[in-house]
Amino acid sequence: MIFISAGHHNTDPGAVSNGYIERDLTKDARNVIIQSLDLKNVIQDKDFETNLQYQRRIKPGNGSVVFDIHFNSGPPTAGGTECYVNQNDFADKNSLSYKMADEICRTTSRILGIRNRGVKSENHSQHPRIGILNLGSGVSVLWEICFISSVINMQNYLQKKNDLLKEVAAVLKKYEIN
Ligand SMILES: [Zn+2]
């Protein structure tokens, strides 16, 4: 099963920059990725649910992939893509989470032509622990597609998002066991 979520929801816009709203971009990215997936193997967040409500509803198992989508934000010169995994998965570079995160980063960097900032541990995010990465799923990755605050990142994303999201869907399918 693939559990895919848009990171933010109706009452939580996420980052806002240059006229872009993170929530709208992540919802769109999620919806486009799902078009390339087999719907009977997909569970997604509902846009009226808070992240906590979604996390409590889902019960991902060993063979599942949990994938949460975000955009980064920073000063106008900051750019690139990165992925977060939980501390245990980060410590084991052979873990499926680390491998999938690495593949998502490399795919994004190649297709968008932006910097690969690499795979990071949850404790290097704004939070010491990221709930959605610790639900017991076989694979758990949080993807920061690119910087919403970077004009160039966003130009590249909007130009190439269909290619990018199709390839990302293929990566998710590869790591899903059942
Ligand atoms: Zn976010």
Side-chain angles (χ1 to χ4, degrees):
M1 197 63 84
I2 295 173
F3 296 82
I4 184 167
S5 50
H8 299 271
H9 54 88
N10 288 348
T11 57
D12 167 28
V16 177
S17 191
N18 298 325
Y20 299 116
I21 301 172
E22 182 183 4
R23 171 196 58 211
D24 295 344
L25 294 168
T26 56
K27 275 159 62 170
D28 174 66
R30 176 199 63 198
N31 295 346
V32 173
I33 289 172
I34 287 175
Q35 287 170 13
S36 301
L37 298 175
D38 186 351
L39 281 185
K40 71 179 193 311
N41 298 332
V42 176
I43 292 177
Q44 66 166 93
D45 61 330
K46 300 183 168 86
D47 295 330
F48 56 81
E49 278 179 322
T50 66
N51 293 0
L52 205 57
Q53 285 168 336
Y54 170 64
Q55 286 175 39
R56 285 183 179 146
R57 173 165 68 84
I58 63 173
K59 305 235 173 335
N62 258 339
S64 296
V65 170
V66 165
F67 194 58
D68 194 37
I69 304 168
H70 290 262
F71 281 76
N72 226 328
S73 181
T77 51
T81 188
E82 63 194 24
C83 283
Y84 285 94
V85 297
N86 73 34
Q87 284 195 56
N88 288 338
D89 289 337
F90 187 78
D92 176 7
K93 305 289 183 272
N94 289 314
S95 67
L96 293 177
S97 296
Y98 192 96
K99 285 185 172 175
M100 190 180 95
D102 181 54
E103 206 166 327
I104 295 282
C105 278
R106 282 188 285 112
T107 300
T108 311
S109 172
R110 171 172 51 80
I111 294 177
L112 298 191
I114 63 175
R115 187 177 149 211
N116 181 358
R117 302 166 65 94
V119 182
K120 300 186 172 177
S121 173
E122 60 185 340
N123 58 350
H124 289 113
S125 71
Q126 300 146 304
H127 314 282
R129 191 170 178 280
I130 299 174
I132 200 155
L133 297 179
N134 292 279
L135 299 177
S137 179
V139 183
S140 313
V141 172
L142 186 156
W143 181 31
E144 302 266 13
I145 298 180
C146 66
F147 277 69
I148 195 173
S149 45
S150 160
V151 171
I152 293 176
N153 273 201
M154 287 306 298
Q155 273 176 2
N156 294 356
Y157 173 71
L158 293 173
Q159 263 172 28
K160 293 167 186 160
K161 73 169 189 175
N162 287 328
D163 289 348
L164 172 67
L165 299 175
K166 207 171 274 179
E167 284 212 30
V168 164
V171 174
L172 298 183
K173 278 194 258 187
K174 196 171 107 182
Y175 282 86
E176 178 205 15
I177 294 166
N178 52 47

